């Protein structure tokens, strides 16, 4: 072995020892709350990617979509066929409806279904897509959301996506990832497109 091979081996050995000791330290088994937030693109796609990961292992997952676009969602078309239940807000974007009473009613209906999912121990993962806006605009009381999350089955994980999460809700998350907006094609005039943006 050359000396550079030897050095490489030693470096990798030290790295492995460090990683193994960190793995040994993390031994608690429970579901977690993951918040995917920030202004960049990739929050909902990350949430749906984890739903796919879960279903791929034969585990059950459920989805609530709190801000429905005008267009149909590609992930839904696949995941429903795999047995994932979707609960979707009946109205379109809130800035389209411009009716607080209607938006509140639609959000409350999805919230009622969400509470059932958060009480179902068969669900390993629940994705609450764009939930942050529902809390922020007060369509559902943030304390009520926190209570339902805190009382969920021990092994159930929840992913919340959206910008501007109220601090109290962010405070109960175990993992928070912020997607940074460094650049977005939209600002260069590229139109949102099927298969990429929805
Ligand atoms: P995606 O669904 O692609 O993962 P997202 O969930 O991170 O995006 P949202 O804020 O939910 O982002 O955005 C909804 C729509 O706006 C999506 O079609 C998304 O591609 C697009 N979008 C996301 N980020 C930006 C941005 N910084 N500028 C313009 N459009 C964006
Ligand atoms: Mg999104």
């Amino acid at each position: 072995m050359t000396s550079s091979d030897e050095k490489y081996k030693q470096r990798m050995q030290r790295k492995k020892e460090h990683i193994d000791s960190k793995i040994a330290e993390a031994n608690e088994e429970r579901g977690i709350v993951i918040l995917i937030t920030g202004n960049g693109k990739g929050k909902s796609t990350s949430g749906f990617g984890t739903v796919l990961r879960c279903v791929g292992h034969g585990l059950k997952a459920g989805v609530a979509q709190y801000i429905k676009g005008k267009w149909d969602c590609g992930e839904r078309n696949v995941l429903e066929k795999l047995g994932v239940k979707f609960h979707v807000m009946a109205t379109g974007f809130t800035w389209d409806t411009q009716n607080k009473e209607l938006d509140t009613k639609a959000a409350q209906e999805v919230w009622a279904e969400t509470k059932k999912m958060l009480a179902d121990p068969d669900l390993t993962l629940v994705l609450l897509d764009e939930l942050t806006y529902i809390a922020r605009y007060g369509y559902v009381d943030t304390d009520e959301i926190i209570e339902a999350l805190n009382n969920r089955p021990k092994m159930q994980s929840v992913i919340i996506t959206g910008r501007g999460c109220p601090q109290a809700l962010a405070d109960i998350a175990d993992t928070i990832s912020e997607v940074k907006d460094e650049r977005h094609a939209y600002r260069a005039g590229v139109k949102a497109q099927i298969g990429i943006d929805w």
Side-chain angles (χ1 to χ4, degrees), residues 42-45 129-130 133 161-162:
K43 299 175 290 294
S44 297
T45 42
D129 193 32
E130 324 295 353
Y133 307 105
T161 77

Side-chain angles (χ1 to χ4, degrees), residues 72-82 86:
D72 67 339
C73 156
E75 290 97 334
R76 183 180 181 183
N77 299 341
V78 173
L79 291 169
E80 273 190 336
K81 286 187 193 134
L82 298 175
F86 273 65

Side-chain angles (χ1 to χ4, degrees), residues 39-46 71 129-130 133 161 163 181 184 186-187 192 196-198:
N39 290 328
K41 170 175 165 62
K43 299 175 290 294
S44 297
T45 42
S46 166
W71 40 62
D129 193 32
E130 324 295 353
Y133 307 105
T161 77
R163 303 166 198 213
D181 180 22
H184 198 289
Y186 173 75
R187 286 199 297 281
I196 304 296
D197 292 295
W198 75 89

Side-chain angles (χ1 to χ4, degrees), residues 100-139:
K100 174 137 191 173
E101 205 180 310
L102 265 186
D103 287 342
T104 305
K105 190 171 169 284
Q108 291 275 349
E109 278 167 13
V110 177
W111 175 242
E113 295 303 325
T114 298
K115 276 197 285 192
K116 288 183 206 161
M117 294 198 285
L118 294 176
D120 182 351
D122 289 342
L123 292 175
T124 298
L125 176 64
V126 178
L127 169 61
L128 304 177
D129 193 32
E130 324 295 353
L131 178 75
T132 56
Y133 307 105
I134 294 324
R136 196 178 176 86
Y137 300 151
Y139 298 149

